[in-house]
Amino acid sequence: VVDSAACALLRSALFAHLDISIADGSGGGAGPTHRFAAGMDDMSYVPGTRLRFAEAADVGFAVARHDLLLPLRDPAVGAVFAAAVAALRPVLESAASQLPRVHKSLLAAREAMEVVELAALIARPGATHQAIHGDYGRLPDYYGSSSGSGRLPPRLVVLVSLQDVPSPLHGGTVFLPHTATAAAHALLYEGNALQPRARSVGGSAEAT
């Protein structure tokens, strides 16, 4: 989907930022608190999104695991983002037509899809597996009623691997096909099913 050279360039930029944030104590993935790079002055904000524009932001949510919000104005970020959107546009448009229509009037008034988040997920050696989850919940109380009062609007999630994942020790992302349904999510969230046992990630760090 994206040229390997562009992915490698972005991966190098991600780890450079991560090294700085860990060294100055502003990052490290130790908990749910937002941890930002030193001297950050990115004050741009779009309500209802997690978008960054001028500076990256490390949102720690587990030991040795990072959720790095990426700056849209960074050339390396922009190159990979534009390439992924161009290659996947037909798929995204088709998938968008299958999302729950909880904001009918809003969707009818707009032709373009809106970007609400652009981030890199990074697992360093020693990170344990995330619990299996859906980035967009299919349960009715997750996205609300037809009045549009839910927590999140309908959304699509695209993951682009920035490196090869040659073995399980690299902590690759696991996908469960055909589970983007209300029935599957009820089994997962209400029945606590399909959760893996905790296992550390060895080898080198992985970025997605």
Side-chain angles (χ1 to χ4, degrees):
V1 173
V2 181
D3 178 73
S4 59
C7 287
L9 182 63
L10 177 55
R11 184 173 180 271
S12 296
L14 299 182
F15 283 113
H17 165 76
L18 199 57
D19 288 342
I20 293 173
S21 66
I22 292 174
D24 66 19
S26 59
T33 304
H34 287 246
R35 305 175 189 280
F36 304 115
M40 187 177 65
D41 58 357
D42 188 349
M43 300 301 292
S44 301
Y45 174 66
V46 179
T49 77
R50 295 211 308 166
L51 292 176
R52 303 295 302 170
F53 293 90
E55 304 268 356
D58 179 13
V59 184
F61 65 95
V63 174
R65 190 180 292 276
H66 307 266
D67 186 358
L68 191 64
L69 304 182
L70 305 180
L72 287 166
R73 295 172 185 162
D74 184 288
V77 172
V80 171
F81 174 68
V85 171
L88 297 173
R89 185 181 183 92
V91 177
L92 293 172
E93 290 177 343
S94 176
S97 68
Q98 305 302 314
L99 289 173
R101 292 297 196 251
V102 299
H103 296 282
K104 292 182 179 179
S105 60
L106 182 61
L107 290 173
R110 294 190 340 204
E111 296 182 357
M113 288 178 282
E114 179 184 2
V115 177
V116 297
E117 181 175 338
L118 185 61
L121 303 177
I122 302 173
R124 293 187 288 116
T128 56
H129 286 285
Q130 276 189 277
I132 292 175
H133 65 282
D135 286 329
Y136 174 66
R138 293 285 177 167
L139 297 178
D141 61 355
Y142 192 81
Y143 53 79
S145 66
S146 59
S147 65
S149 60
R151 289 167 47 198
L152 294 173
R155 61 185 59 195
L156 300 173
V157 179
V158 175
L159 300 180
V160 177
S161 180
L162 299 182
Q163 67 180 68
D164 292 333
V165 186
S167 78
L169 293 178
H170 287 73
T173 302
V174 175
F175 294 93
L176 303 179
H178 312 298
T179 59
T181 65
H185 283 206
L187 179 65
L188 174 62
Y189 294 114
E190 297 173 1
N192 197 31
L194 306 177
Q195 296 300 346
R197 292 176 296 177
R199 181 160 57 92
S200 293
V201 174
S204 61
E206 183 214 5
T208 299

